Amino acid sequence: MPRRHPLAAVLGLALGTPLLLLAPPASAAGVAQPYDFNGDGFPELVVGAPGLTVGSKGEAGGISVLPASKDGVFEAGVVITQASAGVPGDAAQDQRFGSAFASADFDHDGYADLAVGTPYQSEGDRGRVVVLRGSTSGLTTSGAYSLVRAGTSDFDNFGVSLAAADFDGDGFADLAVGAITADRVESPEYGPNGSVTIFQGGQATFSAQRTTVLHGQRTGEDYDLLFGSSLAVGDVDGDARPDLVVGSLGLPYDDGEGHDGSVSVCTSGDAGPGGCHHVAVGYSTGSTALAVGNVEGDQRNEIVVGQPQENPDRDDPGVVYTLALAGTGSSLKAKATKLTQAIKGVPGSNEKNDEFGYAVALGDLDSDGYADLVVGSDAEAIGSRKHAGRVTVVYGGKKGYRTSGNKVYDQSTKGVPGTAESGDGFGTAVSLRDHDVDGHLDLTVGTPGENDGVGGITTLDGSGKSFTTKGAKTFGLGALAYPEPGVAAFGESLSR
């Protein structure tokens, strides 16, 4: 069953128990790495199921937190929803709790915390972000709190995208939250401009009194539409500080009508990110189609933008652009390199509706100092099975992406569990993280259309060169004993 795009609603204008420990917790003296909720040094895996039915509420949404150890990720975690004891708010129809998340040790207690987006929250017609705390026993709903956009109750999709980083250099991670239908300024005929709110870290909890609101370009021909549809973090101007990269979805063209998307960089300073400037226009970035990494091994990171549907007819194979940046501040400029399945050395072939670039991730898989690219093509046909999905790995190098040795993985690949079936959507989301802490990044692939939309994920261990299918695992909601999985879209979003 084909998956629902997380932003589809926009374009169409009781478990409180912590995770079971698999290893003794480390001392809470230091700051935990993202997703290491129990401080044991092994980052957990968070899987979003925004289509989950909670009670009688369809698409109320939920998340699953799966523990990790030296043996990798295990399906022994819990499902958390807004009906779970201690979670603020109520589970409601179509609110899609778990559409996005970000993690950091926000309060410096030695345990990573988790921010969860609920962009379609019905209460007050605005979105919500729920912050769950880490503890000696893992992620817990005890002490959880929620954040909303200050000063308004307007429909805003607050929480559709999230990112965490220490933007202002004070040692505490800040939280960036996209609100794509907020702040209508220029575009009444199409929709709102959108905004991104930065919650400043440094206290026990985030507060609306310690925020900065960022806007894209709000006037002129290239004004931003749905600013904040995607967020990524990395130093792209060479000053050794993390910058915030913001995608604007725009609107697809239909009969010549529509509006271009864009990519902006909000450079960081002592007051956090500000001064958002376009580095590219004509790129429609949504969901997980944005990443930052050092593909060429030089002094600056590149920005990677997935364009799964690039042309006005929205039936093309898809393309990934890599933006190499020069300049500083408002003079930042980008040179784009195009990558498709028709490029020499990229496995596969260009076919209509592949959606190559629906999800992207960057990481140094082979430890050579160059970031490698993982691309999800959720609609790739495998034989006669349409929308089965595939993941492509393209290696970075001194002269850019390599033209040999690249790889593909799908559910027909030897050693990958399961069977490639129409509508699975393998590659809707991809995640790179070293869960077993062996020095090699592991790959998790979301398959939200699996089993008629119940969903699933597949994990592949890092091998030092790429990934190995030996010991590959497929997880679903079944072993978690959730009573009403239904069309849960489990795997539509993943920890990144």
Side-chain angles (χ1 to χ4, degrees), residues 64-76:
S64 177
V65 186
L66 305 177
S69 74
K70 62 180 179 60
D71 296 316
V73 175
F74 291 87
E75 190 177 18

Side-chain angles (χ1 to χ4, degrees), residues 294-435:
N294 200 329
V295 175
E296 297 181 0
D298 54 16
Q299 293 183 338
R300 291 199 181 189
N301 291 312
E302 287 81 35
I303 301 170
V304 168
V305 184
Q307 296 285 276
Q309 296 172 340
E310 185 181 35
N311 67 31
D313 294 329
R314 300 193 292 280
D315 63 354
D316 61 347
V319 60
V320 174
Y321 288 96
T322 300
L323 308 180
L325 294 159
T328 59
S330 60
S331 66
L332 274 172
K333 303 295 181 184
K335 179 181 178 181
T337 301
K338 187 174 183 178
L339 187 75
T340 74
Q341 292 180 95
I343 298 293
K344 179 183 177 182
V346 178
S349 59
N350 268 6
E351 300 164 317
K352 284 187 176 183
N353 301 311
D354 281 347
E355 295 198 351
F356 182 80
Y358 189 86
V360 296
L362 287 169
D364 187 359
L365 305 180
D366 52 5
S367 302
D368 66 351
Y370 302 101
D372 308 307
L373 174 65
V374 176
V375 183
S377 308
D378 68 316
E380 178 83 34
I382 307 299
S384 62
R385 292 151 290 182
K386 296 182 179 180
H387 286 84
R390 172 175 286 166
V391 168
T392 302
V393 178
V394 183
Y395 292 93
K398 187 175 182 179
K399 296 182 180 180
Y401 295 114
R402 296 186 210 166
T403 57
S404 63
N406 300 315
K407 302 178 182 297
V408 294
Y409 300 89
D410 57 54
Q411 288 184 297
S412 69
T413 300
K414 183 178 179 181
V416 174
T419 303
E421 300 169 313
S422 295
D424 280 351
F426 185 87
T428 296
V430 293
S431 172
L432 292 175
R433 195 163 290 274
D434 185 6
H435 293 288

